[in-house]
Amino acid sequence: MKSLTMMSMKYRKNVVYNGVMTYPKRLAILGRQPELGTIELESLLGPQNITPFGTNAIFFDGEVDIDRLGGVIKVGSVIYVGPVKALADIELPFTTFAEGSGKTTFGLSYYGMQVTPRFVLAAGLELKKELKAFGPVRMVAPTTGTELTAAQLLHNQVLTEGFELLVVGSGREMVVAVTTGVQDIESYAARDHGRPARDAKVGMLPPKLAQILINTTSAALIVDPFCGTGVVLQEALLSGRAAIGYDLASEMVQASETNLNWLDGRSSVQLPDWAVSAFDARKVVLPTTPLAIVSEGYLGPNMSNAPNQQLLADLDFATSQLYRETLQNWATQLPAATELALCIPNWRTASGWQSPKVLDDLVDLGYTTKVFKHAPRVIRYARPDQIVGRQLLFLTRT
Ligand SMILES: C[S@@+](CC[C@H](N)C(=O)[O-])C[C@H]1O[C@@H](n2cnc3c(N)ncnc32)[C@H](O)[C@@H]1O
């Protein structure tokens, strides 16, 4: 394997961001909904240790394991921060990268800059010319757009046999970073589509979203009172937390058990303790040890057309009642400061998203809504064509 040494790199030190003198070393490229990666990095590292750059990237200080982040697609080491420039005008760290045998593979990804795929290709070819001085070199260009996907990086061994440069723009400022980690798409596929017990009817939570929710909490025990097929429990165990799940439907309890036994069987390390049992979330007796509740609650029927006023009113009534009773039950048992990260349904209507009315009662029910410094107050997770979306609620027992 070849190594990319950084002998000749020059950082521009003491850059001013948001009025604060910083020395950014690490950069995260955020996923399709940047606010999701933002809230997990803010939760894990602290709001003072992250600085958003443009719409799709964040500078951060501290260590993160990209395999444990659901909302971050790449991380890199920063080698340039400053005015927008051509790559040829930036001193890049490729003094000794071409040592060893065989070709060095490299690629370029541009984020948040007004550039065309043609421009990226031309910049890559320019760089390739320079790199040839150090040995044989192969370039991988984005198949669509201006960014290399995780699959392209993986299948072309870009990170193991070479390097990727991330070029990120925001206004007149530009950052260049060398990618040090990328999302493990194969592991996600196995943890999502590879599980033995799946149920399309309950609308399984994507593992990435489960990770994001879990990352906003810090307790050693994660409880999911609407566990379904157990995606939250699975991701909790993989992040080193113990997990307890409940579900009203015994077949869902069975599905979670099957999936967690499967996970146990394929895990190379001993998983933390877990248990699943049948319970109604409105009556469940929670463990008395410190815990966080992370759960995608009941979302109601899936829909392919926007609901009419009557249906909307009925859905809101039923949903609000379920969550009111559930939150009331939990509030009688949870100690102050217990963290909750929940998904509840929102419905897309002609005039925008509608949330269930129970949200107006959160304070009376004994909960405070968490506010993130670097993210909007209301966060939803929905595909552009989805009628029933998920609103993410981050609460603390008051
Ligand atoms: C949207 S699904 C959760 C899916 C789960 N996150 C997964 O990834 O498989 C909601 C689950 O809540 C369960 N449920 C509905 N009402 C409930 C209640 N009152 N108490 C506990 N579970 C309930 C359903 O059986 C269903 O499995």
Side-chain angles (χ1 to χ4, degrees), residues 27-253:
L27 188 77
I29 302 290
L30 305 170
R32 180 177 62 90
Q33 288 190 231
E35 64 277 22
L36 299 178
T38 303
I39 58 171
E40 66 180 345
L41 286 173
E42 180 171 331
S43 305
L44 290 170
L45 301 172
Q48 71 285 5
N49 292 320
I50 66 169
T51 309
F53 180 79
T55 48
N56 11 36
I58 283 188
F59 287 119
F60 65 93
D61 273 324
E63 282 310 308
V64 292
D65 175 1
I66 191 159
D67 291 343
R68 300 273 60 82
L69 297 175
V72 171
I73 52 175
K74 293 175 185 173
V75 290
S77 292
V78 175
I79 57 173
Y80 171 81
V81 184
V84 172
K85 277 187 184 180
L87 279 184
D89 297 331
I90 295 171
E91 190 151 356
L92 296 170
F94 39 67
T95 42
T96 61
F97 81 92
E99 71 195 12
S101 60
K103 278 190 176 169
T104 292
T105 305
F106 84 97
L108 293 180
S109 289
Y110 280 69
Y111 296 89
M113 295 185 82
Q114 305 264 308
V115 295
T116 60
R118 251 175 106 116
F119 176 93
V120 177
L121 189 63
L125 291 172
E126 191 72 19
L127 190 58
K128 189 175 170 186
K129 260 195 246 161
E130 268 192 72
L131 292 171
K132 271 189 175 160
F134 301 94
V137 63
R138 177 172 79 107
M139 181 174 93
V140 180
T143 38
T144 53
T146 62
E147 303 152 18
L148 289 168
T149 61
Q152 274 188 288
L153 292 179
L154 182 74
H155 298 141
N156 291 288
Q157 281 114 30
V158 176
L159 300 190
T160 48
E161 296 291 319
F163 66 94
E164 179 195 31
L165 292 182
L166 305 168
V167 185
V168 187
S170 171
R172 292 186 193 167
E173 289 283 286
M174 179 171 106
V175 177
V176 181
V178 181
T179 307
T180 53
V182 64
Q183 267 188 347
D184 185 346
I185 45 171
E186 289 183 339
S187 176
Y188 279 119
R191 274 142 64 195
D192 196 355
H193 310 294
R195 300 184 313 147
R198 296 171 48 76
D199 190 319
K201 287 196 298 293
V202 302
M204 290 174 301
L205 192 67
K208 285 180 191 175
L209 184 52
Q211 283 184 312
I212 293 161
L213 298 174
I214 291 165
N215 280 334
T216 65
T217 71
S218 54
L221 169 63
I222 298 291
V223 173
D224 181 354
F226 296 88
C227 69
T229 63
V231 177
V232 167
L233 308 177
Q234 163 184 289
E235 296 305 318
L237 294 172
L238 291 174
S239 72
R241 323 269 194 112
I244 295 183
Y246 308 102
D247 201 287
L248 187 60
S250 55
E251 63 272 25
M252 285 298 125
V253 173

Side-chain angles (χ1 to χ4, degrees), residues 334-338 396-398:
L334 296 175
T338 301
T396 308
R397 175 74 177 96
T398 311

Side-chain angles (χ1 to χ4, degrees), residues 309-391:
Q309 282 306 317
Q310 185 56 52
L311 179 55
L312 202 54
D314 292 347
L315 287 170
D316 188 349
F317 181 80
T319 310
S320 290
Q321 191 167 12
L322 168 67
Y323 286 103
R324 203 172 286 118
E325 290 176 23
T326 298
L327 288 168
Q328 217 157 27
N329 172 36
W330 299 346
T332 60
Q333 305 177 58
L334 296 175
T338 301
E339 294 175 303
L340 300 88
L342 308 174
C343 290
I344 62 159
N346 271 199
W347 303 282
R348 198 193 293 270
T349 71
S351 54
W353 286 104
Q354 182 170 322
S355 308
K357 293 202 171 44
V358 66
L359 294 191
D360 299 337
D361 306 336
L362 292 176
V363 173
D364 291 344
L365 287 165
Y367 299 90
T368 308
T369 303
K370 237 189 252 181
V371 178
F372 293 97
K373 180 168 178 224
H374 300 287
R377 269 177 174 269
V378 177
I379 301 179
R380 291 189 186 86
Y381 182 91
R383 287 191 308 273
D385 58 339
Q386 241 173 341
I387 302 292
V388 183
R390 299 169 173 99
Q391 181 173 351

